[in-house]
Amino acid sequence: MGVRRLGLAALCSAALLAALPAWAQTAAPQPMVRNGMLTMQGGEAVYNNLCAACHMRDAKGAAGAGVYPALAGDRRLAAAAYPIRLVIHGQKGMPAFGSLLANDQIAAVVTYVRTHFANAYAAPVTAAEVQAMR
Amino acid sequence: MTGDAGAPSRRDLLSMIGVVAGSTAMYMAMYELGYAQATSFKGPAKLSTPPTGTSVLILGAGVAGMVAALEMRDAGYKVQVLEYQDRPGGRNWSLYGGDTFTELGGATQHVGFDPGLYLNPGPWRIPYHHQGILHYAQRTGVEMEPFVQTNFNAYVHSMTGYGGKPRRYREVQADYQGHVAELLGKCAQQGALDQKVSKEEREILLESLREWGALDKNYDYVKGMTSSNRRGFDLDPGGGLTGAPRPSEPDALGDVLSARLWTAMSQMSDHMHQSSIFQPKGGMGMIGKAMGRELGPLIRYNSKIIDIHQDDRGVTVTYVDTKTGGPPRTATAQWCVCTIPLPVLGQIPMTVGAPLKAAIDHMAYTPSLKVGLQFKRRFWEQDEQIYGGITYTDMPNVSIGYPNHGYFSKGKGVVLGAYVGTPECYTWAAKPPEERIKDALYWGSKIHPQYMSEYDCGVAVAWHRVPWVLGCKSQWTEASRAEHYDNLAAIDGRIVLAGEHVSYMAGWQEGSVTSATDAIKRLHQRVMSA
């Protein structure tokens, strides 16, 4: 049975290659969570693949029956402790991400948001600061 | 301890379990001992007639809101329902060809499914013991058909196990059970269980293991007719000169274990997933539509609530019409049943006490995503003999659900191409809908290579992007229940909350029904004693 299966699989792959639409030939996606932790590193990657789900790529938030607040031009970001606490522990409709993200990922994404989207709070946040708020 | 020395009474046992393991364990134990019911639904609320002209305002026309509206209207209340959307049902929802869905962020999807085909972005199955939602489906004339939870010919798949190749559920299930039975049988034969079982019991155990694990006469799990009758044959039995069956070779225990597929294999044993399970003919959304029809003009659609105020005379709700605009309007009533999802409700100014406000505000909803994929033909049936049911995988799309209707149709078919409730869901939600569909196709094609040539169109719903709920469903922990649950359920002045979030069945429609039934009974008592 094993042999028969392999034969069939090989046939399918060959046919598949010829029939692949253009969109299917872009870079293969990867699992983004392993062992309960987000895999990607760096503030921009964490923002685009996690935070953007609600706050949107442009960080301008969105409004329906309820609102996702904009992070762009948000003066509450001046004190780093505020976003750090929110990311770790969540608040109201925002889930807690303290277990999905490691300290350095939280530090990176908070730094990224505080230095982008018309926010200019240059001092980088450190993993130690994040650890202190857990 | 009371009763005879040595043997504790059943009540002793229960209180002991309660003290040691908490109330959930006690409930489970009570259930085992036959004290508790499987569903708390004991029939509709059956309210007595309230004083003439008693009015109630119901916020939200989902399942909970419409259960409340139907029962209170029938009792004689003056009922008005305000609903944000332009349709009834809430998360009871199906997407059909011709529908459009605009998510937060502005992306609009035009659903291109063929007539009769659909995606249920929310609930998709109803266990037989969810007698509450089944009651309202029957009351409103919605027809049910079987939902296939377990299909032995669907796949279980691990990216690393079995060389990344999908296996039929029957193969893995038979091999897992067969090897475990053989191991246990060897232990029993070697006397390793003699402390636990008597000699007679050991013989019975061996007899049962042979049956349970499809073992041969020596209690071995081996290639042959017995094991192939479970896991399937290389060549199925047939008729005539070519009809001799060719048994299949079981996979080795090591391969079975390292594939780690037991989670996929145990879901059908959960009480919520045991047969029989049902789905409404034509899509889950049929129930919401039917209940909405029944309520007719009592529901005011396109009404976005911006303020909920109460005083000792009544409740005043301010809303704007999202279609016609204009200045805010108000609706008033003596009482209010509020079913608005908590992440939305927490943003609406509301005159309630601090305990209820804290209970509303503490809750974030879980992530969830569903992708519906329409294919040009039903290749899972035609090529792979999979008729309904679910394939489970450890890839990011988590599962593939095959349509449990329209079998053998020559036309197109819609597959649930991804159903993700893990944290990975946030990363799906962060992508535009067309990329979610692309990812679902990529992962699914590892199991069904036909995906690439047969794909026709799709739709992807990530619940954190759904404008009227901001997430999939409530999530309670033991700690949050202890702190907030009773406060969330308690009547606050003239307002009571209802919905799956005020239940012990988060995300299940039965939670909405039983929550609404309980809430309006208590509110009615308050009305009658006022």
Side-chain angles (χ1 to χ4, degrees):
Chain A
M1 176 155 129
V3 175
R4 204 160 57 95
R5 268 227 175 129
L6 278 176
L8 188 68
L11 203 70
C12 289
S13 322
L16 192 64
L17 279 176
L20 269 182
W23 55 257
Q25 294 169 12
T26 51
Q30 295 294 323
M32 295 201 199
V33 176
R34 282 221 173 91
N35 303 321
M37 302 290 290
L38 199 75
T39 54
M40 66 271 307
Q41 303 296 323
E44 184 176 6
V46 171
Y47 183 86
N48 285 340
N49 289 290
L50 185 68
C51 315
C54 295
H55 296 285
M56 306 296 153
R57 279 289 168 104
D58 60 6
K60 288 187 175 158
V67 166
Y68 287 134
L71 305 180
D74 185 354
R75 292 167 65 183
R76 290 173 299 184
L77 295 173
Y82 172 72
I84 295 172
R85 180 170 55 77
L86 250 61
V87 174
I88 297 175
H89 300 292
Q91 177 176 288
K92 296 182 82 172
M94 175 164 166
F97 292 104
S99 61
L100 187 64
L101 298 173
N103 289 343
D104 56 339
Q105 288 171 306
I106 295 177
V109 77
V110 169
T111 300
Y112 177 74
V113 172
R114 292 178 81 236
T115 51
H116 290 77
F117 311 118
N119 300 313
Y121 308 104
V125 170
T126 65
E129 284 174 80
V130 176
Q131 177 59 38
M133 296 195 64
R134 283 193 181 265
Chain B
M1 186 97 31
T2 56
D4 296 340
S9 72
R10 214 144 58 145
R11 180 180 294 183
D12 288 337
L13 196 65
L14 284 174
S15 62
M16 218 158 66
I17 294 169
V19 168
V20 174
S23 58
T24 310
M26 185 156 86
Y27 175 82
M28 295 312 290
M30 283 168 70
Y31 183 66
E32 293 295 322
L33 296 175
Y35 273 62
Q37 295 287 327
T39 174
S40 60
F41 186 74
K42 305 279 194 299
K46 293 199 186 87
L47 309 176
S48 59
T49 309
T52 309
T54 308
S55 58
V56 61
L57 200 49
I58 294 168
L59 309 182
V63 168
M66 291 197 288
V67 164
L70 283 172
E71 297 302 337
M72 297 187 90
R73 179 200 68 180
D74 290 356
Y77 282 89
K78 191 169 159 258
V79 170
Q80 188 182 5
V81 186
L82 295 177
E83 166 57 44
Y84 173 79
Q85 297 190 75
D86 60 2
R87 60 163 189 90
R91 280 165 276 179
N92 175 296
W93 181 29
S94 300
L95 282 168
Y96 304 94
D99 287 349
T100 59
F101 169 58
T102 300
E103 64 176 41
L104 288 171
T108 295
Q109 299 177 74
H110 301 271
V111 185
F113 297 158
D114 270 17
L117 307 182
Y118 58 85
L119 169 74
N120 296 321
W124 58 326
R125 53 192 158 188
I126 305 178
Y128 71 89
H129 49 90
H130 285 186
Q131 290 289 317
I133 187 69
L134 287 168
H135 165 83
Y136 286 98
Q138 286 169 68
R139 173 179 166 168
T140 53
V142 176
E143 210 178 328
M144 290 290 157
E145 63 191 1
F147 177 96
V148 179
Q149 172 66 44
T150 305
N151 181 340
F152 280 72
N153 207 38
Y155 298 109
V156 284
H157 171 255
S158 142
M159 285 187 279
T160 49
Y162 300 113
K165 296 272 185 296
R167 278 287 191 272
R168 303 285 185 171
Y169 174 84
R170 58 179 150 77
E171 297 170 331
V172 180
Q173 201 266 350
D175 290 353
Y176 181 58
Q177 205 163 300
H179 286 301
V180 169
E182 182 183 305
L183 282 175
L184 195 53
K186 289 210 161 68
C187 290
Q189 284 177 305
Q190 290 161 7
L193 304 178
D194 284 359
Q195 305 259 312
K196 304 278 182 193
V197 294
S198 70
K199 202 158 182 282
E200 293 84 54
E201 286 169 339
R202 190 180 72 182
E203 293 314 309
I204 301 171
L205 177 65
L206 281 167
E207 212 179 302
S208 74
L209 287 173
R210 182 186 281 155
E211 174 76 22
W212 184 70
L215 308 183
D216 72 1
K217 60 182 189 321
N218 302 317
Y219 304 101
D220 288 329
Y221 182 67
V222 292
K223 179 176 181 175
M225 290 302 286
T226 309
S227 59
S228 283
N229 274 330
R230 293 278 170 88
R231 71 188 313 284
F233 294 82
D234 273 359
L235 185 66
D236 273 329
L241 289 173
T242 56
R246 202 159 65 230
S248 62
E249 183 75 56
D251 284 304
L253 175 62
D255 293 337
V256 176
L257 291 179
S258 61
R260 310 178 78 88
L261 289 166
W262 50 82
T263 306
M265 289 192 292
S266 61
Q267 200 181 59
M268 42 111 74
S269 303
D270 295 344
H271 188 36
M272 294 296 194
H273 300 123
Q274 289 170 4
S275 298
S276 300
I277 310 180
F278 298 100
Q279 63 180 22
K281 276 192 177 173
M284 187 58 79
M286 289 298 179
I287 297 179
K289 278 186 185 178
M291 292 176 81
R293 255 196 317 273
E294 171 89 17
L295 288 164
L298 296 186
I299 305 175
R300 190 188 194 287
Y301 295 101
N302 305 312
S303 305
K304 176 181 172 172
I305 292 161
I306 57 171
D307 188 78
I308 302 169
H309 177 82
Q310 65 169 330
D311 55 31
D312 50 13
R313 283 157 305 164
V315 180
T316 302
V317 171
T318 308
Y319 63 96
V320 291
D321 189 307
T322 56
K323 285 284 184 292
T324 61
R329 304 152 195 254
T330 57
T332 57
Q334 288 160 289
W335 306 93
C336 176
V337 179
C338 176
T339 71
I340 299 171
L342 298 181
V344 176
L345 186 60
Q347 300 185 16
I348 298 172
M350 190 177 185
T351 43
V352 290
L356 176 54
K357 183 63 181 152
I360 293 168
D361 284 351
H362 94 280
M363 176 77 76
Y365 278 18
T366 64
S368 182
L369 160 111
K370 280 189 178 176
V371 178
L373 304 171
Q374 176 165 282
F375 294 100
K376 291 174 219 161
R377 65 181 184 96
R378 298 167 76 106
F379 56 79
W380 53 95
E381 296 183 357
Q382 294 157 10
D383 303 352
E384 294 159 277
Q385 292 78 54
I386 296 172
Y387 302 96
I390 304 166
T391 281
Y392 290 100
T393 171
D394 63 357
M395 296 187 297
N397 60 324
V398 182
S399 53
I400 297 174
Y402 309 97
N404 302 305
H405 61 101
Y407 302 128
F408 304 104
S409 153
K410 293 271 190 279
K412 297 174 182 176
V414 171
V415 158
L416 173 68
Y419 178 17
V420 187
T422 58
E424 181 118 20
C425 181
Y426 295 114
T427 68
W428 288 81
K431 296 173 195 202
E434 60 273 17
E435 280 185 38
R436 296 174 207 149
I437 291 169
K438 223 158 82 173
D439 282 8
L441 288 168
Y442 173 81
W443 296 116
S445 68
K446 305 274 182 198
I447 291 174
H448 297 289
Q450 304 98 315
Y451 261 45
M452 296 307 191
S453 53
E454 303 295 349
Y455 174 67
D456 188 38
C457 64
V459 63
V461 177
W463 279 92
H464 269 99
R465 290 278 179 108
V466 174
W468 35 271
V469 52
L470 310 182
C472 171
K473 60 182 167 68
S474 59
Q475 56 182 335
W476 291 94
T477 62
E478 215 169 302
S480 68
R481 275 219 199 265
E483 192 178 350
H484 293 299
Y485 185 81
D486 288 356
N487 293 335
L488 193 71
I491 299 172
D492 184 302
R494 295 173 167 275
I495 300 173
V496 67
L497 267 56
E500 56 84 19
H501 48 283
V502 200
S503 80
Y504 286 79
M505 319 167 82
W508 291 93
Q509 296 176 103
E510 188 71 1
S512 308
V513 173
T514 51
S515 161
T517 304
D518 172 76
I520 62 175
K521 278 184 183 169
R522 286 185 287 119
L523 191 67
H524 184 66
Q525 272 174 10
R526 183 71 62 92
V527 170
M528 299 307 279
S529 63

